Amino acid sequence: MAERPRMLFNAFHMCALSHHAQGLWAEPDSRQLEYNDPRMWVDLAKLLERGRFDTLFFADVLGPYEVYGNSRDAAVYEGMQFPTGDPSVLIPLLAYHTENLGFTFTQNILQEHPYPFARKMSTLDHLTGGRVAWNIVTTFLPSAGRNLGYGGLPPHDERYARAEDFTTACVKLWENSWDDDAVLRDRVRRQFADPAKVHEVDHKGPYYTVFGPHLCEPSPQRTPVLFQAGMSPTGRAFAGRWAEALFINSSCPQEAASVVLDVRRAAAAAGRDPQQVKIFVPRAYVVAATEGEARRVHEELLQRQTEVGNLARMSVFLDHDFAAYAPGTPVAQLRYRDDLPPRVQNVVRDPAYAGLTLQQAVLRYGNRRTVGTPEQIADEIQAFQDVGVDGINIEYVVSPTTFETVIDHVVPLLQQRGLMQRDYQPGTLREKFFDAGPHLPSDHPARRAAERP
């Protein structure tokens, strides 16, 4: 079989007990209870580097899930994305124990002013040798908005307006505050930098005022690789302007195809090369030597997951409180109700869930996985590439078992087909992603936003 262009692979994780597969932190092969132990994270980073993953991608939330029963109790009881630590503080440790693995971390634009955040990102870029990316999010949890002093969650479009202003302020600091030759490090004259080549940025936006100068000298990438995960029309337009990598929530190649085209159109409308946006989809895998064995394992894992934890999580993602229904409510009773949100209607009207209870249907919907042999997994990844997807964010079912299984049994096949790198390219994360220079390309809007008058 002829080799194809390589794809990109991230390991999707959280600095928390449990990310998506609720209840499976209790499995005997799980190390998820060790989420506060740095040794677990070091072992995981080394494993991912052995498997030639591109980044360890940290998701994050800044508040408990509380839609289910209008309470956070289920999230606290289940350890469902709560408690959660700050993933950014892990990154220097993991970079010290690896040489090439990149680190993408999520921080929402409400939780910090752009001036200290820009310093944090530059510091991480320095300490990792240019191996960091920032996943730009606007948050979806009202509890985060309350605890950050906003009195709740600001409206959707206002959050994106804030993100526009926040990101513009950051890139001005990263790109334009220090000239390339500002740092001298002259031991003879004992002069570190040329003051004439360090500048204020004087950003005055609708939400943020940042004078500068930037507190850090230019880091290897200057601006970290920019990820983004919003899929609303506003989010896609934002991604077209800013994102170098975009995380879309498509569960099959057919569903991804139209989203890929739309995102690339948005990038072209922003004056960018559409191929300079790397598009990722999330996938979870259950792998075995035969399809039948894989399906058996998948069913056993579903049976050992907790329905309440899953309902609490999906109440947030589907924007509907599933605690309103009696246990064991048949899907058939809800199929023709018009008062349900469209996404919930899609679940209860899906023929795949006919005959199930609502809890069972939501459990299966919220844990849609690719189940099969290594060859079948590789075939699906190849099909995603055929519709223009550039990479996979691999979600764990049980950590680290999911990653170990993929690395030992799927990665060799992907490498044979040319879909996954056998060795790392030298340089920064941006150089590894794009086979280009360490800095943002000249057609990226961030470069224009950072231009001095």
Side-chain angles (χ1 to χ4, degrees), residues 39 71 73 75 77 87 108 128 136 138 191 217 231 237 252 297-298 305 315 452:
R39 292 169 295 185
S71 169
D73 287 357
Y77 183 95
N108 83 67
T128 63
I136 309 168
T138 61
Q191 180 181 3
E217 63 179 285
M231 277 288 93
C252 66
V297 172
H298 173 58
Q305 288 186 233
S315 290
R452 286 194 293 271

Side-chain angles (χ1 to χ4, degrees), residues 26 39 70 83 95 176 241 262 295 398 448:
R39 292 169 295 185
N70 194 32
N176 207 38
R241 288 189 296 277
D262 193 39
R295 294 199 175 280
V398 177
R448 299 194 292 273

Side-chain angles (χ1 to χ4, degrees), residues 422-440:
R422 295 178 182 271
D423 294 295
Y424 288 102
Q425 295 293 321
T428 65
L429 184 60
R430 183 173 284 111
E431 289 171 288
K432 296 177 193 297
F433 264 37
F434 295 102
D435 295 325
H439 301 147
L440 285 169

Side-chain angles (χ1 to χ4, degrees), residues 7-25:
M7 295 182 71
L8 303 167
F9 293 86
N10 301 321
F12 203 33
H13 223 294
M14 284 189 74
C15 186
L17 175 70
S18 182
H19 192 186
H20 285 124
Q22 304 314 317
L24 295 185
W25 54 264

